[in-house]
PDB file of all heavy atoms in Angstrom:
ATOM      1  N   ARG A  23       0.826  -1.198  -0.001  1.00 96.00           N
ATOM      2  CA  ARG A  23      -0.016  -0.004  -0.003  1.00 96.00           C
ATOM      3  C   ARG A  23       0.871   1.244   0.006  1.00 96.00           C
ATOM      4  O   ARG A  23       0.613   2.225   0.765  1.00 96.00           O
ATOM      5  CB  ARG A  23      -0.954  -0.003   1.190  1.00 96.00           C
ATOM      6  CG  ARG A  23      -1.850  -1.232   1.285  1.00 96.00           C
ATOM      7  CD  ARG A  23      -2.884  -1.146   2.395  1.00 96.00           C
ATOM      8  NE  ARG A  23      -3.967  -0.271   2.016  1.00 96.00           N
ATOM      9  CZ  ARG A  23      -4.986  -0.006   2.833  1.00 96.00           C
ATOM     10  NH1 ARG A  23      -5.041  -0.536   4.030  1.00 96.00           N
ATOM     11  NH2 ARG A  23      -5.980   0.828   2.448  1.00 96.00           N
ATOM     12  N   THR A  24       1.841   1.273  -0.857  1.00 97.00           N
ATOM     13  CA  THR A  24       2.788   2.382  -0.914  1.00 97.00           C
ATOM     14  C   THR A  24       2.090   3.715  -1.218  1.00 97.00           C
ATOM     15  O   THR A  24       2.252   4.706  -0.488  1.00 97.00           O
ATOM     16  CB  THR A  24       3.835   2.123  -2.008  1.00 97.00           C
ATOM     17  OG1 THR A  24       4.532   0.892  -1.658  1.00 97.00           O
ATOM     18  CG2 THR A  24       4.872   3.246  -2.039  1.00 97.00           C
ATOM     19  N   GLY A  25       1.247   3.752  -2.250  1.00 97.00           N
ATOM     20  CA  GLY A  25       0.543   4.983  -2.559  1.00 97.00           C
ATOM     21  C   GLY A  25      -0.373   5.441  -1.416  1.00 97.00           C
ATOM     22  O   GLY A  25      -0.477   6.638  -1.148  1.00 97.00           O
ATOM     23  N   PHE A  26      -1.051   4.519  -0.798  1.00 96.00           N
ATOM     24  CA  PHE A  26      -1.939   4.845   0.317  1.00 96.00           C
ATOM     25  C   PHE A  26      -1.178   5.494   1.464  1.00 96.00           C
ATOM     26  O   PHE A  26      -1.624   6.484   2.070  1.00 96.00           O
ATOM     27  CB  PHE A  26      -2.668   3.594   0.801  1.00 96.00           C
ATOM     28  CG  PHE A  26      -3.549   3.802   1.994  1.00 96.00           C
ATOM     29  CD1 PHE A  26      -4.784   4.407   1.845  1.00 96.00           C
ATOM     30  CD2 PHE A  26      -3.128   3.421   3.278  1.00 96.00           C
ATOM     31  CE1 PHE A  26      -5.626   4.605   2.984  1.00 96.00           C
ATOM     32  CE2 PHE A  26      -3.948   3.636   4.373  1.00 96.00           C
ATOM     33  CZ  PHE A  26      -5.186   4.212   4.212  1.00 96.00           C
ATOM     34  N   ARG A  27       0.014   4.982   1.779  1.00 97.00           N
ATOM     35  CA  ARG A  27       0.805   5.486   2.857  1.00 97.00           C
ATOM     36  C   ARG A  27       1.274   6.946   2.545  1.00 97.00           C
ATOM     37  O   ARG A  27       1.293   7.801   3.412  1.00 97.00           O
ATOM     38  CB  ARG A  27       1.998   4.604   3.169  1.00 97.00           C
ATOM     39  CG  ARG A  27       1.581   3.305   3.842  1.00 97.00           C
ATOM     40  CD  ARG A  27       2.788   2.460   4.252  1.00 97.00           C
ATOM     41  NE  ARG A  27       3.481   1.902   3.092  1.00 97.00           N
ATOM     42  CZ  ARG A  27       4.784   1.862   2.945  1.00 97.00           C
ATOM     43  NH1 ARG A  27       5.595   2.459   3.849  1.00 97.00           N
ATOM     44  NH2 ARG A  27       5.329   1.335   1.866  1.00 97.00           N
ATOM     45  N   ILE A  28       1.587   7.195   1.273  1.00 97.00           N
ATOM     46  CA  ILE A  28       1.977   8.535   0.875  1.00 97.00           C
ATOM     47  C   ILE A  28       0.764   9.500   0.939  1.00 97.00           C
ATOM     48  O   ILE A  28       0.863  10.649   1.390  1.00 97.00           O
ATOM     49  CB  ILE A  28       2.547   8.515  -0.538  1.00 97.00           C
ATOM     50  CG1 ILE A  28       3.881   7.744  -0.524  1.00 97.00           C
ATOM     51  CG2 ILE A  28       2.802   9.937  -1.046  1.00 97.00           C
ATOM     52  CD1 ILE A  28       4.478   7.465  -1.898  1.00 97.00           C
ATOM     53  N   PHE A  29      -0.398   9.018   0.544  1.00 97.00           N
ATOM     54  CA  PHE A  29      -1.632   9.779   0.668  1.00 97.00           C
ATOM     55  C   PHE A  29      -1.877  10.176   2.112  1.00 97.00           C
ATOM     56  O   PHE A  29      -2.203  11.319   2.411  1.00 97.00           O
ATOM     57  CB  PHE A  29      -2.823   8.936   0.107  1.00 97.00           C
ATOM     58  CG  PHE A  29      -4.137   9.228   0.731  1.00 97.00           C
ATOM     59  CD1 PHE A  29      -4.756  10.451   0.569  1.00 97.00           C
ATOM     60  CD2 PHE A  29      -4.796   8.229   1.462  1.00 97.00           C
ATOM     61  CE1 PHE A  29      -5.994  10.673   1.127  1.00 97.00           C
ATOM     62  CE2 PHE A  29      -6.040   8.463   2.032  1.00 97.00           C
ATOM     63  CZ  PHE A  29      -6.639   9.710   1.839  1.00 97.00           C
ATOM     64  N   ARG A  30      -1.715   9.229   3.057  1.00 96.00           N
ATOM     65  CA  ARG A  30      -1.912   9.531   4.441  1.00 96.00           C
ATOM     66  C   ARG A  30      -0.915  10.542   4.949  1.00 96.00           C
ATOM     67  O   ARG A  30      -1.238  11.457   5.738  1.00 96.00           O
ATOM     68  CB  ARG A  30      -1.817   8.252   5.311  1.00 96.00           C
ATOM     69  CG  ARG A  30      -2.881   7.211   5.067  1.00 96.00           C
ATOM     70  CD  ARG A  30      -4.266   7.691   5.345  1.00 96.00           C
ATOM     71  NE  ARG A  30      -4.416   8.350   6.598  1.00 96.00           N
ATOM     72  CZ  ARG A  30      -5.583   8.851   7.084  1.00 96.00           C
ATOM     73  NH1 ARG A  30      -6.656   8.778   6.351  1.00 96.00           N
ATOM     74  NH2 ARG A  30      -5.638   9.463   8.245  1.00 96.00           N
ATOM     75  N   GLU A  31       0.341  10.485   4.481  1.00 97.00           N
ATOM     76  CA  GLU A  31       1.351  11.428   4.906  1.00 97.00           C
ATOM     77  C   GLU A  31       1.068  12.824   4.369  1.00 97.00           C
ATOM     78  O   GLU A  31       1.236  13.818   5.072  1.00 97.00           O
ATOM     79  CB  GLU A  31       2.733  10.952   4.429  1.00 97.00           C
ATOM     80  CG  GLU A  31       3.898  11.816   4.861  1.00 97.00           C
ATOM     81  CD  GLU A  31       4.088  11.915   6.368  1.00 97.00           C
ATOM     82  OE1 GLU A  31       3.801  10.891   7.059  1.00 97.00           O
ATOM     83  OE2 GLU A  31       4.497  12.943   6.865  1.00 97.00           O
ATOM     84  N   ALA A  32       0.606  12.878   3.120  1.00 97.00           N
ATOM     85  CA  ALA A  32       0.261  14.186   2.552  1.00 97.00           C
ATOM     86  C   ALA A  32      -0.917  14.803   3.294  1.00 97.00           C
ATOM     87  O   ALA A  32      -0.966  16.054   3.480  1.00 97.00           O
ATOM     88  CB  ALA A  32      -0.095  14.022   1.058  1.00 97.00           C
ATOM     89  N   LEU A  33      -1.853  13.987   3.764  1.00 96.00           N
ATOM     90  CA  LEU A  33      -3.000  14.493   4.494  1.00 96.00           C
ATOM     91  C   LEU A  33      -2.536  15.175   5.797  1.00 96.00           C
ATOM     92  O   LEU A  33      -3.059  16.234   6.177  1.00 96.00           O
ATOM     93  CB  LEU A  33      -3.956  13.352   4.822  1.00 96.00           C
ATOM     94  CG  LEU A  33      -5.421  13.643   4.972  1.00 96.00           C
ATOM     95  CD1 LEU A  33      -5.994  14.344   3.766  1.00 96.00           C
ATOM     96  CD2 LEU A  33      -6.180  12.368   5.243  1.00 96.00           C
ATOM     97  N   LYS A  34      -1.532  14.630   6.468  1.00 96.00           N
ATOM     98  CA  LYS A  34      -0.993  15.239   7.663  1.00 96.00           C
ATOM     99  C   LYS A  34      -0.470  16.624   7.355  1.00 96.00           C
ATOM    100  O   LYS A  34      -0.458  17.493   8.204  1.00 96.00           O
ATOM    101  CB  LYS A  34       0.128  14.371   8.249  1.00 96.00           C
ATOM    102  CG  LYS A  34      -0.252  13.004   8.743  1.00 96.00           C
ATOM    103  CD  LYS A  34       0.971  12.259   9.194  1.00 96.00           C
ATOM    104  CE  LYS A  34       0.673  10.819   9.537  1.00 96.00           C
ATOM    105  NZ  LYS A  34       1.934  10.059   9.894  1.00 96.00           N
ATOM    106  N   ARG A  35       0.027  16.814   6.109  1.00 97.00           N
ATOM    107  CA  ARG A  35       0.659  18.036   5.707  1.00 97.00           C
ATOM    108  C   ARG A  35      -0.325  19.009   5.030  1.00 97.00           C
ATOM    109  O   ARG A  35       0.090  20.014   4.445  1.00 97.00           O
ATOM    110  CB  ARG A  35       1.810  17.742   4.758  1.00 97.00           C
ATOM    111  CG  ARG A  35       2.920  16.908   5.415  1.00 97.00           C
ATOM    112  CD  ARG A  35       3.855  16.288   4.377  1.00 97.00           C
ATOM    113  NE  ARG A  35       4.824  15.387   5.012  1.00 97.00           N
ATOM    114  CZ  ARG A  35       6.062  15.696   5.270  1.00 97.00           C
ATOM    115  NH1 ARG A  35       6.573  16.894   4.964  1.00 97.00           N
ATOM    116  NH2 ARG A  35       6.861  14.789   5.848  1.00 97.00           N
ATOM    117  N   GLY A  36      -1.632  18.680   5.043  1.00 97.00           N
ATOM    118  CA  GLY A  36      -2.661  19.577   4.566  1.00 97.00           C
ATOM    119  C   GLY A  36      -3.000  19.490   3.077  1.00 97.00           C
ATOM    120  O   GLY A  36      -3.468  20.432   2.482  1.00 97.00           O
ATOM    121  N   VAL A  37      -2.726  18.313   2.491  1.00 97.00           N
ATOM    122  CA  VAL A  37      -3.071  18.085   1.092  1.00 97.00           C
ATOM    123  C   VAL A  37      -3.904  16.848   0.924  1.00 97.00           C
ATOM    124  O   VAL A  37      -3.467  15.745   1.380  1.00 97.00           O
ATOM    125  CB  VAL A  37      -1.834  18.022   0.215  1.00 97.00           C
ATOM    126  CG1 VAL A  37      -2.165  17.540  -1.212  1.00 97.00           C
ATOM    127  CG2 VAL A  37      -1.131  19.385   0.111  1.00 97.00           C
ATOM    128  N   LEU A  38      -5.091  16.930   0.319  1.00 97.00           N
ATOM    129  CA  LEU A  38      -5.899  15.781   0.035  1.00 97.00           C
ATOM    130  C   LEU A  38      -5.443  15.241  -1.321  1.00 97.00           C
ATOM    131  O   LEU A  38      -5.847  15.755  -2.383  1.00 97.00           O
ATOM    132  CB  LEU A  38      -7.382  16.157   0.005  1.00 97.00           C
ATOM    133  CG  LEU A  38      -8.364  15.062  -0.377  1.00 97.00           C
ATOM    134  CD1 LEU A  38      -8.235  13.857   0.562  1.00 97.00           C
ATOM    135  CD2 LEU A  38      -9.811  15.600  -0.380  1.00 97.00           C
ATOM    136  N   LEU A  39      -4.674  14.204  -1.301  1.00 94.00           N
ATOM    137  CA  LEU A  39      -4.021  13.658  -2.498  1.00 94.00           C
ATOM    138  C   LEU A  39      -4.325  12.192  -2.596  1.00 94.00           C
ATOM    139  O   LEU A  39      -3.489  11.343  -2.341  1.00 94.00           O
ATOM    140  CB  LEU A  39      -2.473  13.878  -2.391  1.00 94.00           C
ATOM    141  CG  LEU A  39      -1.606  13.485  -3.589  1.00 94.00           C
ATOM    142  CD1 LEU A  39      -1.704  14.542  -4.679  1.00 94.00           C
ATOM    143  CD2 LEU A  39      -0.174  13.330  -3.132  1.00 94.00           C
ATOM    144  N   ARG A  40      -5.544  11.866  -2.936  1.00 91.00           N
ATOM    145  CA  ARG A  40      -5.974  10.425  -2.954  1.00 91.00           C
ATOM    146  C   ARG A  40      -5.249   9.725  -4.075  1.00 91.00           C
ATOM    147  O   ARG A  40      -5.247  10.160  -5.241  1.00 91.00           O
ATOM    148  CB  ARG A  40      -7.467  10.326  -3.113  1.00 91.00           C
ATOM    149  CG  ARG A  40      -7.985   8.895  -2.963  1.00 91.00           C
ATOM    150  CD  ARG A  40      -9.472   8.869  -3.115  1.00 91.00           C
ATOM    151  NE  ARG A  40      -9.972   7.501  -3.104  1.00 91.00           N
ATOM    152  CZ  ARG A  40     -10.324   6.820  -2.025  1.00 91.00           C
ATOM    153  NH1 ARG A  40     -10.244   7.407  -0.863  1.00 91.00           N
ATOM    154  NH2 ARG A  40     -10.771   5.580  -2.122  1.00 91.00           N
ATOM    155  N   ASN A  41      -4.635   8.607  -3.748  1.00 94.00           N
ATOM    156  CA  ASN A  41      -3.840   7.832  -4.729  1.00 94.00           C
ATOM    157  C   ASN A  41      -4.694   6.911  -5.544  1.00 94.00           C
ATOM    158  O   ASN A  41      -5.807   6.556  -5.166  1.00 94.00           O
ATOM    159  CB  ASN A  41      -2.774   7.018  -4.010  1.00 94.00           C
ATOM    160  CG  ASN A  41      -3.391   6.034  -3.040  1.00 94.00           C
ATOM    161  OD1 ASN A  41      -4.094   6.455  -2.088  1.00 94.00           O
ATOM    162  ND2 ASN A  41      -3.193   4.729  -3.230  1.00 94.00           N
ATOM    163  N   LEU A  42      -4.196   6.525  -6.689  1.00 95.00           N
ATOM    164  CA  LEU A  42      -4.769   5.414  -7.465  1.00 95.00           C
ATOM    165  C   LEU A  42      -3.714   4.279  -7.483  1.00 95.00           C
ATOM    166  O   LEU A  42      -2.776   4.288  -8.236  1.00 95.00           O
ATOM    167  CB  LEU A  42      -5.003   5.872  -8.954  1.00 95.00           C
ATOM    168  CG  LEU A  42      -6.190   6.816  -9.145  1.00 95.00           C
ATOM    169  CD1 LEU A  42      -6.117   7.466 -10.529  1.00 95.00           C
ATOM    170  CD2 LEU A  42      -7.511   6.082  -8.985  1.00 95.00           C
ATOM    171  N   GLY A  43      -3.872   3.351  -6.526  1.00 95.00           N
ATOM    172  CA  GLY A  43      -2.870   2.349  -6.354  1.00 95.00           C
ATOM    173  C   GLY A  43      -1.565   3.028  -5.994  1.00 95.00           C
ATOM    174  O   GLY A  43      -1.473   3.797  -5.025  1.00 95.00           O
ATOM    175  N   ASP A  44      -0.517   2.771  -6.775  1.00 97.00           N
ATOM    176  CA  ASP A  44       0.762   3.422  -6.527  1.00 97.00           C
ATOM    177  C   ASP A  44       1.019   4.542  -7.556  1.00 97.00           C
ATOM    178  O   ASP A  44       2.171   4.822  -7.891  1.00 97.00           O
ATOM    179  CB  ASP A  44       1.889   2.378  -6.603  1.00 97.00           C
ATOM    180  CG  ASP A  44       1.862   1.463  -5.395  1.00 97.00           C
ATOM    181  OD1 ASP A  44       1.336   1.865  -4.340  1.00 97.00           O
ATOM    182  OD2 ASP A  44       2.311   0.261  -5.488  1.00 97.00           O
ATOM    183  N   CYS A  45      -0.045   5.147  -7.990  1.00 97.00           N
ATOM    184  CA  CYS A  45       0.048   6.357  -8.801  1.00 97.00           C
ATOM    185  C   CYS A  45      -0.445   7.539  -7.966  1.00 97.00           C
ATOM    186  O   CYS A  45      -1.547   7.524  -7.414  1.00 97.00           O
ATOM    187  CB  CYS A  45      -0.764   6.233 -10.058  1.00 97.00           C
ATOM    188  SG  CYS A  45      -0.126   5.093 -11.268  1.00 97.00           S
ATOM    189  N   LEU A  46       0.396   8.581  -7.854  1.00 98.00           N
ATOM    190  CA  LEU A  46       0.006   9.853  -7.256  1.00 98.00           C
ATOM    191  C   LEU A  46      -0.385  10.772  -8.415  1.00 98.00           C
ATOM    192  O   LEU A  46       0.292  10.798  -9.418  1.00 98.00           O
ATOM    193  CB  LEU A  46       1.134  10.478  -6.471  1.00 98.00           C
ATOM    194  CG  LEU A  46       1.875   9.552  -5.484  1.00 98.00           C
ATOM    195  CD1 LEU A  46       3.068  10.311  -4.870  1.00 98.00           C
ATOM    196  CD2 LEU A  46       0.961   9.021  -4.425  1.00 98.00           C
ATOM    197  N   TYR A  47      -1.442  11.530  -8.229  1.00 97.00           N
ATOM    198  CA  TYR A  47      -1.855  12.388  -9.351  1.00 97.00           C
ATOM    199  C   TYR A  47      -2.330  13.715  -8.810  1.00 97.00           C
ATOM    200  O   TYR A  47      -2.798  13.855  -7.693  1.00 97.00           O
ATOM    201  CB  TYR A  47      -2.899  11.701 -10.224  1.00 97.00           C
ATOM    202  CG  TYR A  47      -4.241  11.510  -9.563  1.00 97.00           C
ATOM    203  CD1 TYR A  47      -5.266  12.439  -9.791  1.00 97.00           C
ATOM    204  CD2 TYR A  47      -4.518  10.437  -8.737  1.00 97.00           C
ATOM    205  CE1 TYR A  47      -6.500  12.274  -9.176  1.00 97.00           C
ATOM    206  CE2 TYR A  47      -5.748  10.251  -8.156  1.00 97.00           C
ATOM    207  CZ  TYR A  47      -6.747  11.213  -8.374  1.00 97.00           C
ATOM    208  OH  TYR A  47      -7.971  11.040  -7.796  1.00 97.00           O
ATOM    209  N   PHE A  48      -2.226  14.726  -9.705  1.00 98.00           N
ATOM    210  CA  PHE A  48      -2.656  16.066  -9.423  1.00 98.00           C
ATOM    211  C   PHE A  48      -3.721  16.467 -10.419  1.00 98.00           C
ATOM    212  O   PHE A  48      -3.462  16.491 -11.631  1.00 98.00           O
ATOM    213  CB  PHE A  48      -1.472  17.052  -9.521  1.00 98.00           C
ATOM    214  CG  PHE A  48      -0.270  16.614  -8.674  1.00 98.00           C
ATOM    215  CD1 PHE A  48       0.782  15.958  -9.287  1.00 98.00           C
ATOM    216  CD2 PHE A  48      -0.234  16.858  -7.347  1.00 98.00           C
ATOM    217  CE1 PHE A  48       1.876  15.546  -8.523  1.00 98.00           C
ATOM    218  CE2 PHE A  48       0.862  16.457  -6.585  1.00 98.00           C
ATOM    219  CZ  PHE A  48       1.903  15.823  -7.185  1.00 98.00           C
ATOM    220  N   LEU A  49      -4.892  16.781  -9.926  1.00 98.00           N
ATOM    221  CA  LEU A  49      -6.039  17.141 -10.768  1.00 98.00           C
ATOM    222  C   LEU A  49      -6.772  18.243 -10.023  1.00 98.00           C
ATOM    223  O   LEU A  49      -7.897  18.090  -9.576  1.00 98.00           O
ATOM    224  CB  LEU A  49      -6.877  15.893 -11.005  1.00 98.00           C
ATOM    225  CG  LEU A  49      -7.861  15.911 -12.182  1.00 98.00           C
ATOM    226  CD1 LEU A  49      -8.056  14.525 -12.742  1.00 98.00           C
ATOM    227  CD2 LEU A  49      -9.244  16.439 -11.715  1.00 98.00           C
ATOM    228  N   PRO A  50      -6.154  19.402  -9.872  1.00 98.00           N
ATOM    229  CA  PRO A  50      -6.723  20.434  -8.992  1.00 98.00           C
ATOM    230  C   PRO A  50      -7.799  21.256  -9.655  1.00 98.00           C
ATOM    231  O   PRO A  50      -7.962  21.248 -10.889  1.00 98.00           O
ATOM    232  CB  PRO A  50      -5.492  21.344  -8.720  1.00 98.00           C
ATOM    233  CG  PRO A  50      -4.671  21.209  -9.973  1.00 98.00           C
ATOM    234  CD  PRO A  50      -4.852  19.786 -10.442  1.00 98.00           C
ATOM    235  N   PRO A  51      -8.569  21.999  -8.855  1.00 98.00           N
ATOM    236  CA  PRO A  51      -9.529  22.974  -9.467  1.00 98.00           C
ATOM    237  C   PRO A  51      -8.782  23.973 -10.321  1.00 98.00           C
ATOM    238  O   PRO A  51      -7.633  24.340 -10.081  1.00 98.00           O
ATOM    239  CB  PRO A  51     -10.119  23.658  -8.213  1.00 98.00           C
ATOM    240  CG  PRO A  51      -9.934  22.689  -7.099  1.00 98.00           C
ATOM    241  CD  PRO A  51      -8.617  22.004  -7.401  1.00 98.00           C
TER     242      PRO A  51
END
């Protein structure tokens, strides 16, 4: 769950960055 762990770490830092498996993606407003 590598991507999920990074998502949780980003959340601590104030960014909602939901992963797709082990893909991190940026799709902002």
Side-chain angles (χ1 to χ4, degrees):
R23 304 185 77 181
T24 302
F26 176 78
R27 288 185 290 135
I28 295 170
F29 151 65
R30 294 300 311 180
E31 183 62 33
L33 208 55
K34 295 177 188 176
R35 299 164 185 258
V37 169
L38 177 58
L39 185 77
R40 188 179 174 90
N41 59 299
L42 288 165
D44 290 334
C45 289
L46 311 177
Y47 69 96
F48 308 98
L49 198 148

